[in-house]
Amino acid sequence: MKFFIDTANLDQIREANELGILDGVTTNPTLMAKEGVKGEAAIAQHYKTICEMVDGPISAEVLSTTFAEIVEEGKKLAAIHPNIVVKVPMIKDGIKAIKWFTDNGIQTNCTLVFSAGQAILAAKAGATFVSPFIGRIDDSSWDGVQLIEQIVSVYNAQGFMTEVLAASIRNPLHIVRCAEAGADVCTCPLSSILGLLKHPLTDIGLEQFLKDAKSMQ
Ligand code: E4P
């Protein structure tokens, strides 16, 4: 399973990248706004900086909702760097645009996916990635990981090539369960990635080893 970081914060991207386990980055308009990025030029520059930091797919989301506008905006985003993946919402015009991008060699990430039916449409349109939002599903008292399992099973049965990108990750257990469910990619906040490191027995064991190491000096 590939690890993407789900943020537009450059310090967090750098910290995750320095671990050596980062395969890509996802952003969305909320995450970009949080960083105070404003205006077309600044947005493009921010994506370029991220692309220069991480060698892997970098999802940049369109802000438009009509076919022609999504295509125009997506073409501009894709021109920023070869690693840009145009992130398109799961709406009717979004599906049309994803098909257009597929036919024109532009990678896409179909976002705001909450059902297997939506994931089938994204795959039929040729999306590179599909992003089911598992944390938001859990927030409504459904099981987000079950959706990952269902989409993985449908894609395997049908031979779809679209990669299942588990998004809206809230904690380290989500990452483990998505890996178990067969997700191709997990996009996570830095806190969830670092949370995977934690185990009290590791801390206790290391403390003892260091203490015993001192007695040998
Ligand atoms: C990533 O592609 C999504 O935009 C993101 O994971 C959404 O996460 P949230 O539900 O925590 O906002």
Side-chain angles (χ1 to χ4, degrees):
M1 185 173 74
K2 289 175 222 163
F3 267 51
F4 290 0
I5 187 165
D6 192 26
T7 184
N9 181 278
L10 300 182
D11 289 335
Q12 291 189 13
I13 293 170
R14 191 171 298 109
E15 188 176 338
N17 202 30
E18 281 170 358
L19 282 173
I21 51 90
L22 196 63
D23 300 299
V25 180
T26 52
T27 63
N28 64 35
T30 304
L31 296 170
M32 290 289 278
K34 239 190 205 172
E35 300 310 309
V37 190
K38 272 194 186 137
E40 205 177 319
I43 291 171
Q45 183 50 52
H46 201 80
Y47 287 137
K48 193 163 180 265
T49 306
I50 296 174
C51 290
E52 283 161 359
M53 289 169 75
V54 179
D55 186 19
I58 311 297
S59 286
E61 189 157 342
V62 295
L63 309 176
S64 318
T65 53
T66 63
F67 171 73
E69 286 172 337
I70 294 172
V71 166
E72 272 326 293
E73 200 185 337
K75 281 198 286 188
K76 282 188 198 162
L77 288 170
I80 295 171
H81 192 279
N83 285 351
I84 288 285
V85 174
V86 180
K87 203 171 174 191
V88 181
M90 166 44 73
I91 52 174
K92 201 169 164 189
D93 282 37
I95 287 298
K96 276 170 71 179
I98 288 171
K99 179 68 172 81
W100 188 92
F101 290 129
T102 305
D103 292 344
N104 287 275
I106 292 174
Q107 298 200 92
T108 52
N109 175 354
C110 183
T111 190
L112 288 167
V113 166
F114 294 91
S115 75
Q118 292 178 325
I120 290 171
L121 271 183
K124 285 294 291 178
T128 317
F129 300 100
V130 65
S131 287
F133 277 31
I134 70 164
R136 294 193 195 186
I137 293 175
D138 285 5
D139 291 344
S140 350
S141 80
W142 295 62
D143 184 354
V145 177
Q146 265 180 16
L147 177 60
I148 301 293
E149 287 167 359
Q150 190 183 19
I151 296 172
V152 167
S153 146
V154 169
Y155 279 14
N156 286 343
Q158 297 297 328
F160 287 135
M161 300 306 287
T162 299
E163 292 190 40
V164 180
L165 191 166
S168 185
I169 296 288
R170 301 267 194 264
N171 54 58
L173 185 57
H174 268 156
I175 303 177
V176 174
R177 291 192 65 211
C178 286
E180 208 173 18
D184 299 290
V185 190
C186 218
T187 189
C188 326
L190 180 63
S191 58
S192 298
I193 298 176
L194 296 180
L196 291 173
L197 288 165
K198 288 187 198 155
H199 198 290
L201 290 178
T202 304
D203 299 338
I204 293 167
L206 182 62
E207 199 184 332
Q208 186 65 47
F209 285 159
L210 292 176
K211 205 168 134 199
D212 293 341
K214 261 193 192 152
S215 73
M216 296 189 298
Q217 285 163 0

